[in-house]
Amino acid sequence: MKNKVFLKNVLTLVLVFSSLLVFGQAKPNVVILATGGTIAGAGTSATGSEYVSGQVKIEAMIDAVPNIRDLANLKGEQLSNVGSQDMSVAIWLDLANRINTLLAGDDVDGIVITHGTDTQEETAYFLNLTVKSDKPVVLTGSMRPSTALSAEGPLNLYNAVAVAASPLSKGYGVMVAMNDEIHSAKDVRKMITTPVQTFQSPQEGMLGTVIFGQVEYFHKPLGRHTTNSEFSIEGITELPRVDIVYACADMSPDLIDMMVKAGAKGIVIAGVGDGNMNAGTLEAAKKAADNGIWVVRASRVPIGKVLIKGEVNDKEYGTLCSDELNPQKARVLLMLAMLKKRNWDEMQRLFIDY
Ligand code: ASP
């Protein structure tokens, strides 16, 4: 009798352990790389607007999300803890190299990056061009700090992990998942300064939705990215300096000369309308281009393409047109494009392809 009970207990234990093993293995492995931002921010009042970004560490952030470990086997790594206004090329390179190393292994199925929202679209786009894997890479953040009433960071993190863990997400390039929506790195823009619906893809639309962990896609992103990208940061420790200048009525043309003097190797002009600028600035841009500085015409208008042959003929002026990229993403592309010597046609092609 005693032996029978013992045998039954052993069998039960074996069953429990083997099912744990099976379920443990069935869950995807997701690594969360934390960089800071409001999602890791803290303030002294739940209802006040004052707070400091990048205060909470990744383990505490994960622990604050109920049931998140049911979605995936999670590991957190703290890469930096800054407000994304302080995001840098150095952190971008670290991030891309770390992601490429992690995703090259069979033991990682997806990556989530927690990041401030201010420059999240730039980081997402940089990674879209430099990550060499079709496994999901998903950025998220929050508009309200962790101490705020109705902080949305925990649900955003839960949903981002669900997107990274989903087999549906393979091959979509780098994405931003926030406020129940999934956006492509190329299309997404921060559109509103403080409300939670800040990330939108106003021209192309969102890729899909993620509602309490349920992932649904509507369409695939267009444009080249990740495994189909020709850019590589292997062995790269810095990127060429590219500055952005904002155009307006009666703009001062000498701003272009000042940027070149300060060491800019490339300039993006957030032009008026269809990437336009006044006659003096256009002449200054032509002079800079003649002297080997790449000048890109983008637009300060939030939505729409800049045309190669609108009021400015780019080939004639030696300037490039940003096509669909806003100024901050055109800057990212230009910095990567300048790592290799290219002629005007090759450079312009990149703005059309990516
Ligand atoms: N300034 C913050 C940041 O970008 C804003 C945010 O995360 O929403 O880090």
Side-chain angles (χ1 to χ4, degrees):
M1 186 62 189
K2 247 186 173 179
N3 273 354
K4 258 191 171 172
V5 172
F6 177 73
L7 208 68
K8 208 177 146 202
N9 284 345
V10 170
L11 271 174
T12 313
L13 271 177
V14 168
L15 263 173
V16 167
F17 276 120
S18 53
S19 60
L20 264 180
L21 210 67
V22 168
F23 283 123
Q25 279 175 349
K27 271 195 290 187
N29 299 321
V30 171
V31 178
I32 304 179
L33 301 175
T35 68
T38 298
I39 192 167
T44 46
S45 158
T47 51
S49 59
E50 287 177 37
Y51 71 98
V52 182
S53 276
Q55 300 297 298
V56 185
K57 295 266 173 62
I58 186 57
E59 286 308 332
M61 284 164 69
I62 296 171
D63 288 345
V65 186
N67 306 331
I68 195 167
R69 291 186 191 274
D70 295 345
L71 297 171
N73 301 311
L74 292 179
K75 242 185 74 191
E77 287 182 26
Q78 194 75 47
L79 239 97
S80 65
N81 214 355
V82 296
S84 72
Q85 56 272 42
D86 287 319
M87 188 45 58
S88 63
V89 166
I91 301 176
W92 282 351
L93 292 171
D94 274 358
L95 203 50
N97 283 322
R98 186 70 189 128
I99 293 169
N100 281 330
T101 304
L102 287 167
L103 292 184
D106 291 338
D107 55 341
V108 179
D109 300 299
I111 302 282
V112 167
I113 301 156
T114 57
H115 194 294
T117 60
D118 289 353
T119 61
Q120 189 166 142
E121 65 191 84
E122 287 159 71
T123 302
Y125 186 61
F126 176 79
L127 296 174
N128 210 33
L129 301 178
T130 55
V131 165
K132 301 284 172 204
S133 172
D134 61 1
K135 294 178 188 173
V137 175
V138 186
L139 286 93
T140 195
S142 75
M143 297 303 286
R144 299 183 185 133
S146 64
T147 45
L149 187 63
S150 290
E152 86 281 27
L155 182 55
N156 285 343
L157 185 56
Y158 182 86
N159 280 337
V161 169
V163 174
S166 170
L168 297 175
S169 302
K170 207 173 159 182
Y172 277 78
V174 176
M175 294 175 273
V176 167
M178 248 180 82
N179 197 37
D180 293 0
E181 297 180 354
I182 308 170
H183 295 270
S184 130
K186 179 171 178 187
D187 306 333
V188 72
R189 287 150 197 242
K190 185 167 185 175
M191 295 293 287
I192 318 180
T193 51
T194 58
V196 296
Q197 69 275 27
T198 192
F199 282 125
Q200 298 174 25
S201 302
Q203 176 110 319
E204 301 82 358
M206 67 179 96
L207 293 180
T209 55
V210 50
I211 298 171
F212 291 113
Q214 294 302 312
V215 178
E216 189 180 350
Y217 287 103
F218 308 142
H219 61 82
K220 281 216 159 199
L222 296 173
R224 291 173 66 176
H225 59 76
T226 55
T227 48
N228 200 17
S229 162
E230 68 201 85
F231 300 106
S232 167
I233 49 144
E234 231 184 283
I236 299 295
T237 53
E238 55 185 26
L239 297 178
R241 173 170 167 173
V242 174
D243 292 330
I244 299 177
V245 61
Y246 198 94
C248 58
D250 209 17
M251 179 183 187
S252 309
D254 56 7
L255 287 173
I256 303 285
D257 301 331
M258 281 159 71
M259 284 190 286
V260 175
K261 239 194 190 151
K265 302 287 180 272
I267 294 170
V268 176
I269 300 173
V272 294
D274 184 17
N276 288 317
M277 62 207 81
N278 60 18
T281 307
L282 193 55
E283 277 316 310
K286 185 179 184 323
K287 193 177 102 194
D290 288 345
N291 289 326
I293 307 293
W294 287 109
V295 181
V296 178
R297 292 186 310 112
S299 179
R300 68 178 197 178
V301 180
I303 308 174
K305 259 181 192 264
V306 173
L307 304 176
I308 300 184
K309 281 182 183 164
E311 290 180 72
V312 179
N313 183 326
D314 281 302
K315 200 154 193 179
E316 199 182 302
Y317 279 89
T319 52
L320 300 163
C321 127
S322 71
D323 194 55
E324 284 175 3
L325 297 178
N326 64 15
Q328 54 271 35
K329 285 185 191 167
R331 172 177 176 263
V332 170
L333 182 63
L334 184 57
M335 286 194 289
L336 288 169
M338 285 169 63
L339 291 174
K340 205 175 138 191
K341 211 171 159 38
R342 293 177 160 98
N343 64 27
W344 186 91
D345 288 296
E346 287 163 344
M347 287 295 263
Q348 186 58 67
R349 175 189 62 80
L350 298 176
F351 285 87
I352 308 297
D353 284 2
Y354 292 88

